[in-house]
Amino acid sequence: MTYSLGIDGGGTKTDCVILRADGEIIGRGAAGPSNPLRVGYPAAFEALRSAAAMALAEADLVPRQISAAVAGLAGAGRRTAVRRAMVFLTETLPNATNFVTTDLEIALQTAFGEGEGVVLVAGTGSAAFGRNAQGETARAGGFGPWVGDEGSAYDMGRRAVAAVAHTRDHSAPVTILAEMIATELECPSWDDLADRIAQHPDDIFPKIFPVVVAAAEAGDSAAQEILFSAALALAQLVLSAVRRLGFEARAFPLARVGGVFGHSRMLDAMLDSVLRSGAPLAQITHLKISPAVGAARMAQRLTGTLAVSAANGGSSR
């Protein structure tokens, strides 16, 4: 029996899945963020180790029984990150055929296999990634919070705190975000919030996204403007990839992936509206399969076990 392991590592959480040769999920694990560029390599590898250990325990396996593993990591677009992650995987899963790629690649593979399409990934960060029938790929975004990630949960949280700051300066209308953020984060004062942001912004800004959604639904204009700006920014990422792939005037599948989607009807509707104005034939869906499962299926293909699974009548999706 062969076993394949897949990892989806992002800026907020890490998911791990183990598949049996017939495609059955036999183990799942979860841990904190594993983007090494944001949390550092020690913390990222500890999250990967913890998620894998949880999945192995549920599957009643030991590391040496894993035949192949694929890790899709945010931040793995850099060669240094790939090399260090490969060393980590080889040490952790010594008998496995290992492969490290980006979280965007496994999202695209999960959504469309080797076919064409575009994925819009928005969670702690944001990016669009696509492939056409000729195998050409295009990417937009994914530059991190310092110069990008527009429309991400991090970005919306940062904008919400900025709106509160402008209210405090009497340079913008009063917003209910001030009270809601303080309640959600249990911050007794503005100084306390500012200190926590300065120390750990990744722990603060993404958590404010649900507050923005709730405030927007309550009619707060500042929160609604944040959602509208996010929709525009995310649509621009997709349309940038669409133009380079030659999809503007033809039908193509587009999958939304990540924690930003499915929580705000307002944001989702605004995004779809802007997307359809620039890519009217896009077939928009929400990815329902975990990218970690897609990574595990990629791992199966590394050893040819996916073909065996299909021949035996198992799941090959």
Side-chain angles (χ1 to χ4, degrees), residues 141-177:
F143 297 117
W146 311 278
V147 295
D149 282 351
E150 296 89 344
S152 67
Y154 183 103
D155 181 54
M156 284 187 272
R158 184 190 62 78
R159 287 175 178 268
V161 173
V164 174
H166 294 157
T167 296
R168 288 174 55 84
D169 289 342
H170 304 286
S171 59
V174 174
T175 170
I176 61 174
L177 285 169

mmCIF file of all heavy atoms in Angstrom, residues 141-177:
data_model
loop_
_atom_site.group_PDB
_atom_site.id
_atom_site.type_symbol
_atom_site.label_atom_id
_atom_site.label_comp_id
_atom_site.label_asym_id
_atom_site.label_seq_id
_atom_site.Cartn_x
_atom_site.Cartn_y
_atom_site.Cartn_z
ATOM 1 N N GLY A 141 -0.123 39.594 -8.698
ATOM 2 C CA GLY A 141 -0.206 39.733 -7.247
ATOM 3 C C GLY A 141 0.706 38.772 -6.518
ATOM 4 O O GLY A 141 1.655 38.226 -7.070
ATOM 5 N N GLY A 142 0.403 38.578 -5.233
ATOM 6 C CA GLY A 142 1.208 37.681 -4.415
ATOM 7 C C GLY A 142 2.519 38.284 -3.960
ATOM 8 O O GLY A 142 3.487 37.561 -3.711
ATOM 9 N N PHE A 143 2.562 39.608 -3.831
ATOM 10 C CA PHE A 143 3.812 40.275 -3.475
ATOM 11 C C PHE A 143 3.971 40.513 -1.978
ATOM 12 O O PHE A 143 4.942 41.127 -1.547
ATOM 13 C CB PHE A 143 3.908 41.608 -4.223
ATOM 14 C CG PHE A 143 3.958 41.450 -5.714
ATOM 15 C CD1 PHE A 143 2.955 41.968 -6.510
ATOM 16 C CD2 PHE A 143 4.999 40.768 -6.311
ATOM 17 C CE1 PHE A 143 2.999 41.816 -7.883
ATOM 18 C CE2 PHE A 143 5.050 40.612 -7.689
ATOM 19 C CZ PHE A 143 4.043 41.139 -8.478
ATOM 20 N N GLY A 144 3.011 40.073 -1.179
ATOM 21 C CA GLY A 144 3.132 40.240 0.260
ATOM 22 C C GLY A 144 2.545 41.556 0.739
ATOM 23 O O GLY A 144 2.224 42.440 -0.056
ATOM 24 N N PRO A 145 2.401 41.713 2.046
ATOM 25 C CA PRO A 145 1.716 42.885 2.598
ATOM 26 C C PRO A 145 2.489 44.187 2.449
ATOM 27 O O PRO A 145 1.909 45.264 2.568
ATOM 28 C CB PRO A 145 1.560 42.521 4.078
ATOM 29 C CG PRO A 145 2.718 41.611 4.358
ATOM 30 C CD PRO A 145 2.874 40.795 3.101
ATOM 31 N N TRP A 146 3.771 44.093 2.163
ATOM 32 C CA TRP A 146 4.590 45.296 2.114
ATOM 33 C C TRP A 146 4.345 46.090 0.838
ATOM 34 O O TRP A 146 4.374 47.316 0.855
ATOM 35 C CB TRP A 146 6.066 44.920 2.234
ATOM 36 C CG TRP A 146 6.283 43.993 3.379
ATOM 37 C CD1 TRP A 146 6.412 44.319 4.703
ATOM 38 C CD2 TRP A 146 6.344 42.562 3.312
ATOM 39 N NE1 TRP A 146 6.553 43.176 5.453
ATOM 40 C CE2 TRP A 146 6.520 42.087 4.641
ATOM 41 C CE3 TRP A 146 6.285 41.633 2.276
ATOM 42 C CZ2 TRP A 146 6.630 40.730 4.936
ATOM 43 C CZ3 TRP A 146 6.391 40.289 2.571
ATOM 44 C CH2 TRP A 146 6.564 39.855 3.884
ATOM 45 N N VAL A 147 4.102 45.403 -0.273
ATOM 46 C CA VAL A 147 3.902 46.107 -1.546
ATOM 47 C C VAL A 147 2.657 45.638 -2.294
ATOM 48 O O VAL A 147 2.404 46.101 -3.399
ATOM 49 C CB VAL A 147 5.135 45.941 -2.475
ATOM 50 C CG1 VAL A 147 6.341 46.614 -1.884
ATOM 51 C CG2 VAL A 147 5.415 44.468 -2.753
ATOM 52 N N GLY A 148 1.887 44.730 -1.720
ATOM 53 C CA GLY A 148 0.741 44.198 -2.441
ATOM 54 C C GLY A 148 -0.310 43.607 -1.534
ATOM 55 O O GLY A 148 -0.613 44.141 -0.477
ATOM 56 N N ASP A 149 -0.856 42.451 -1.963
ATOM 57 C CA ASP A 149 -1.924 41.731 -1.256
ATOM 58 C C ASP A 149 -3.215 42.543 -1.158
ATOM 59 O O ASP A 149 -3.986 42.402 -0.201
ATOM 60 C CB ASP A 149 -1.471 41.304 0.146
ATOM 61 C CG ASP A 149 -0.579 40.065 0.096
ATOM 62 O OD1 ASP A 149 -0.471 39.470 -0.990
ATOM 63 O OD2 ASP A 149 -0.012 39.708 1.121
ATOM 64 N N GLU A 150 -3.459 43.392 -2.168
ATOM 65 C CA GLU A 150 -4.693 44.170 -2.175
ATOM 66 C C GLU A 150 -5.913 43.240 -2.203
ATOM 67 O O GLU A 150 -5.941 42.257 -2.919
ATOM 68 C CB GLU A 150 -4.742 45.090 -3.407
ATOM 69 C CG GLU A 150 -3.653 46.140 -3.437
ATOM 70 C CD GLU A 150 -2.390 45.663 -4.131
ATOM 71 O OE1 GLU A 150 -2.241 44.447 -4.327
ATOM 72 O OE2 GLU A 150 -1.563 46.529 -4.481
ATOM 73 N N GLY A 151 -6.914 43.585 -1.421
ATOM 74 C CA GLY A 151 -8.137 42.783 -1.385
ATOM 75 C C GLY A 151 -8.064 41.578 -0.472
ATOM 76 O O GLY A 151 -9.034 40.831 -0.340
ATOM 77 N N SER A 152 -6.935 41.367 0.183
ATOM 78 C CA SER A 152 -6.792 40.240 1.106
ATOM 79 C C SER A 152 -7.427 40.564 2.449
ATOM 80 O O SER A 152 -7.780 41.715 2.730
ATOM 81 C CB SER A 152 -5.307 39.916 1.316
ATOM 82 O OG SER A 152 -4.672 40.991 2.002
ATOM 83 N N ALA A 153 -7.559 39.557 3.298
ATOM 84 C CA ALA A 153 -8.074 39.783 4.645
ATOM 85 C C ALA A 153 -7.144 40.714 5.413
ATOM 86 O O ALA A 153 -7.599 41.570 6.183
ATOM 87 C CB ALA A 153 -8.223 38.447 5.379
ATOM 88 N N TYR A 154 -5.853 40.553 5.211
ATOM 89 C CA TYR A 154 -4.866 41.435 5.860
ATOM 90 C C TYR A 154 -5.100 42.875 5.423
ATOM 91 O O TYR A 154 -5.140 43.790 6.252
ATOM 92 C CB TYR A 154 -3.466 40.968 5.479
ATOM 93 C CG TYR A 154 -2.333 41.732 6.139
ATOM 94 C CD1 TYR A 154 -1.631 41.182 7.201
ATOM 95 C CD2 TYR A 154 -1.943 42.993 5.672
ATOM 96 C CE1 TYR A 154 -0.578 41.862 7.798
ATOM 97 C CE2 TYR A 154 -0.899 43.683 6.264
ATOM 98 C CZ TYR A 154 -0.225 43.119 7.322
ATOM 99 O OH TYR A 154 0.809 43.797 7.914
ATOM 100 N N ASP A 155 -5.236 43.076 4.126
ATOM 101 C CA ASP A 155 -5.410 44.428 3.585
ATOM 102 C C ASP A 155 -6.697 45.073 4.092
ATOM 103 O O ASP A 155 -6.706 46.253 4.465
ATOM 104 C CB ASP A 155 -5.420 44.360 2.059
ATOM 105 C CG ASP A 155 -5.566 45.724 1.406
ATOM 106 O OD1 ASP A 155 -4.767 46.618 1.718
ATOM 107 O OD2 ASP A 155 -6.484 45.886 0.584
ATOM 108 N N MET A 156 -7.777 44.295 4.134
ATOM 109 C CA MET A 156 -9.039 44.860 4.619
ATOM 110 C C MET A 156 -8.976 45.179 6.104
ATOM 111 O O MET A 156 -9.533 46.190 6.560
ATOM 112 C CB MET A 156 -10.194 43.907 4.296
ATOM 113 C CG MET A 156 -10.603 43.943 2.831
ATOM 114 S SD MET A 156 -12.083 42.969 2.475
ATOM 115 C CE MET A 156 -11.333 41.366 2.169
ATOM 116 N N GLY A 157 -8.282 44.358 6.871
ATOM 117 C CA GLY A 157 -8.108 44.658 8.285
ATOM 118 C C GLY A 157 -7.289 45.915 8.496
ATOM 119 O O GLY A 157 -7.605 46.751 9.354
ATOM 120 N N ARG A 158 -6.228 46.056 7.706
ATOM 121 C CA ARG A 158 -5.394 47.254 7.802
ATOM 122 C C ARG A 158 -6.191 48.509 7.438
ATOM 123 O O ARG A 158 -6.091 49.549 8.108
ATOM 124 C CB ARG A 158 -4.191 47.122 6.868
ATOM 125 C CG ARG A 158 -3.203 48.272 6.951
ATOM 126 C CD ARG A 158 -2.170 48.196 5.841
ATOM 127 N NE ARG A 158 -2.790 48.288 4.521
ATOM 128 C CZ ARG A 158 -3.202 49.428 3.968
ATOM 129 N NH1 ARG A 158 -3.080 50.574 4.632
ATOM 130 N NH2 ARG A 158 -3.737 49.434 2.775
ATOM 131 N N ARG A 159 -6.999 48.415 6.396
ATOM 132 C CA ARG A 159 -7.811 49.557 5.977
ATOM 133 C C ARG A 159 -8.849 49.921 7.047
ATOM 134 O O ARG A 159 -9.167 51.099 7.239
ATOM 135 C CB ARG A 159 -8.508 49.247 4.655
ATOM 136 C CG ARG A 159 -7.580 49.249 3.444
ATOM 137 C CD ARG A 159 -8.331 48.821 2.189
ATOM 138 N NE ARG A 159 -7.483 48.864 1.021
ATOM 139 C CZ ARG A 159 -7.362 49.914 0.206
ATOM 140 N NH1 ARG A 159 -8.069 51.021 0.455
ATOM 141 N NH2 ARG A 159 -6.567 49.876 -0.843
ATOM 142 N N ALA A 160 -9.366 48.909 7.725
ATOM 143 C CA ALA A 160 -10.350 49.177 8.774
ATOM 144 C C ALA A 160 -9.721 49.944 9.932
ATOM 145 O O ALA A 160 -10.306 50.902 10.458
ATOM 146 C CB ALA A 160 -10.947 47.861 9.276
ATOM 147 N N VAL A 161 -8.526 49.539 10.332
ATOM 148 C CA VAL A 161 -7.839 50.250 11.408
ATOM 149 C C VAL A 161 -7.493 51.669 10.960
ATOM 150 O O VAL A 161 -7.592 52.626 11.744
ATOM 151 C CB VAL A 161 -6.574 49.488 11.848
ATOM 152 C CG1 VAL A 161 -5.777 50.311 12.854
ATOM 153 C CG2 VAL A 161 -6.945 48.140 12.452
ATOM 154 N N ALA A 162 -7.119 51.827 9.698
ATOM 155 C CA ALA A 162 -6.823 53.166 9.179
ATOM 156 C C ALA A 162 -8.072 54.049 9.212
ATOM 157 O O ALA A 162 -7.991 55.248 9.534
ATOM 158 C CB ALA A 162 -6.290 53.073 7.751
ATOM 159 N N ALA A 163 -9.237 53.456 8.907
ATOM 160 C CA ALA A 163 -10.484 54.228 8.959
ATOM 161 C C ALA A 163 -10.775 54.710 10.372
ATOM 162 O O ALA A 163 -11.225 55.844 10.592
ATOM 163 C CB ALA A 163 -11.641 53.369 8.440
ATOM 164 N N VAL A 164 -10.500 53.843 11.341
ATOM 165 C CA VAL A 164 -10.689 54.228 12.741
ATOM 166 C C VAL A 164 -9.716 55.342 13.115
ATOM 167 O O VAL A 164 -10.076 56.306 13.812
ATOM 168 C CB VAL A 164 -10.497 53.015 13.668
ATOM 169 C CG1 VAL A 164 -10.558 53.442 15.130
ATOM 170 C CG2 VAL A 164 -11.565 51.949 13.384
ATOM 171 N N ALA A 165 -8.472 55.254 12.642
ATOM 172 C CA ALA A 165 -7.471 56.285 12.935
ATOM 173 C C ALA A 165 -7.895 57.632 12.365
ATOM 174 O O ALA A 165 -7.750 58.671 13.025
ATOM 175 C CB ALA A 165 -6.120 55.871 12.370
ATOM 176 N N HIS A 166 -8.446 57.619 11.164
ATOM 177 C CA HIS A 166 -8.895 58.870 10.551
ATOM 178 C C HIS A 166 -10.078 59.462 11.311
ATOM 179 O O HIS A 166 -10.199 60.695 11.420
ATOM 180 C CB HIS A 166 -9.264 58.624 9.089
ATOM 181 C CG HIS A 166 -8.102 58.239 8.242
ATOM 182 N ND1 HIS A 166 -8.240 57.544 7.052
ATOM 183 C CD2 HIS A 166 -6.757 58.419 8.418
ATOM 184 C CE1 HIS A 166 -7.044 57.329 6.538
ATOM 185 N NE2 HIS A 166 -6.133 57.851 7.348
ATOM 186 N N THR A 167 -10.913 58.591 11.851
ATOM 187 C CA THR A 167 -12.020 59.081 12.677
ATOM 188 C C THR A 167 -11.489 59.748 13.939
ATOM 189 O O THR A 167 -11.973 60.811 14.356
ATOM 190 C CB THR A 167 -12.956 57.921 13.052
ATOM 191 O OG1 THR A 167 -13.562 57.400 11.866
ATOM 192 C CG2 THR A 167 -14.047 58.375 13.999
ATOM 193 N N ARG A 168 -10.479 59.134 14.538
ATOM 194 C CA ARG A 168 -9.879 59.711 15.743
ATOM 195 C C ARG A 168 -9.263 61.077 15.450
ATOM 196 O O ARG A 168 -9.248 61.955 16.313
ATOM 197 C CB ARG A 168 -8.811 58.768 16.298
ATOM 198 C CG ARG A 168 -9.362 57.507 16.940
ATOM 199 C CD ARG A 168 -8.234 56.561 17.326
ATOM 200 N NE ARG A 168 -7.248 57.203 18.182
ATOM 201 C CZ ARG A 168 -7.335 57.328 19.513
ATOM 202 N NH1 ARG A 168 -8.403 56.854 20.138
ATOM 203 N NH2 ARG A 168 -6.375 57.912 20.203
ATOM 204 N N ASP A 169 -8.763 61.261 14.240
ATOM 205 C CA ASP A 169 -8.163 62.538 13.855
ATOM 206 C C ASP A 169 -9.205 63.551 13.378
ATOM 207 O O ASP A 169 -8.848 64.662 12.977
ATOM 208 C CB ASP A 169 -7.153 62.322 12.728
ATOM 209 C CG ASP A 169 -5.891 61.615 13.205
ATOM 210 O OD1 ASP A 169 -5.659 61.613 14.433
ATOM 211 O OD2 ASP A 169 -5.167 61.068 12.372
ATOM 212 N N HIS A 170 -10.479 63.125 13.378
ATOM 213 C CA HIS A 170 -11.577 63.980 12.909
ATOM 214 C C HIS A 170 -11.418 64.356 11.434
ATOM 215 O O HIS A 170 -11.889 65.406 10.996
ATOM 216 C CB HIS A 170 -11.676 65.255 13.754
ATOM 217 C CG HIS A 170 -11.830 64.990 15.214
ATOM 218 N ND1 HIS A 170 -13.009 64.528 15.771
ATOM 219 C CD2 HIS A 170 -10.939 65.090 16.240
ATOM 220 C CE1 HIS A 170 -12.844 64.366 17.073
ATOM 221 N NE2 HIS A 170 -11.601 64.692 17.385
ATOM 222 N N SER A 171 -10.759 63.452 10.673
ATOM 223 C CA SER A 171 -10.590 63.697 9.245
ATOM 224 C C SER A 171 -11.482 62.808 8.398
ATOM 225 O O SER A 171 -11.395 62.809 7.168
ATOM 226 C CB SER A 171 -9.127 63.476 8.840
ATOM 227 O OG SER A 171 -8.712 62.142 9.135
ATOM 228 N N ALA A 172 -12.336 62.019 9.061
ATOM 229 C CA ALA A 172 -13.268 61.141 8.359
ATOM 230 C C ALA A 172 -14.501 60.952 9.232
ATOM 231 O O ALA A 172 -14.445 61.142 10.458
ATOM 232 C CB ALA A 172 -12.619 59.791 8.064
ATOM 233 N N PRO A 173 -15.647 60.582 8.624
ATOM 234 C CA PRO A 173 -16.876 60.378 9.405
ATOM 235 C C PRO A 173 -16.710 59.262 10.431
ATOM 236 O O PRO A 173 -15.868 58.371 10.290
ATOM 237 C CB PRO A 173 -17.904 59.990 8.332
ATOM 238 C CG PRO A 173 -17.348 60.507 7.056
ATOM 239 C CD PRO A 173 -15.864 60.410 7.175
ATOM 240 N N VAL A 174 -17.520 59.304 11.464
ATOM 241 C CA VAL A 174 -17.502 58.279 12.503
ATOM 242 C C VAL A 174 -17.893 56.934 11.903
ATOM 243 O O VAL A 174 -18.809 56.848 11.078
ATOM 244 C CB VAL A 174 -18.468 58.653 13.647
ATOM 245 C CG1 VAL A 174 -18.559 57.516 14.660
ATOM 246 C CG2 VAL A 174 -17.994 59.932 14.326
ATOM 247 N N THR A 175 -17.187 55.881 12.304
ATOM 248 C CA THR A 175 -17.479 54.535 11.839
ATOM 249 C C THR A 175 -17.668 53.607 13.042
ATOM 250 O O THR A 175 -16.963 53.741 14.048
ATOM 251 C CB THR A 175 -16.359 53.988 10.930
ATOM 252 O OG1 THR A 175 -16.566 52.590 10.681
ATOM 253 C CG2 THR A 175 -14.991 54.162 11.564
ATOM 254 N N ILE A 176 -18.602 52.673 12.921
ATOM 255 C CA ILE A 176 -18.820 51.723 14.020
ATOM 256 C C ILE A 176 -17.693 50.704 14.112
ATOM 257 O O ILE A 176 -17.659 49.892 15.042
ATOM 258 C CB ILE A 176 -20.173 50.995 13.875
ATOM 259 C CG1 ILE A 176 -20.207 50.180 12.569
ATOM 260 C CG2 ILE A 176 -21.327 51.982 13.932
ATOM 261 C CD1 ILE A 176 -21.466 49.332 12.440
ATOM 262 N N LEU A 177 -16.772 50.746 13.161
ATOM 263 C CA LEU A 177 -15.640 49.827 13.201
ATOM 264 C C LEU A 177 -14.822 49.997 14.477
ATOM 265 O O LEU A 177 -14.262 49.027 14.992
ATOM 266 C CB LEU A 177 -14.729 50.051 11.986
ATOM 267 C CG LEU A 177 -15.244 49.518 10.650
ATOM 268 C CD1 LEU A 177 -14.387 50.052 9.506
ATOM 269 C CD2 LEU A 177 -15.252 47.993 10.652
#
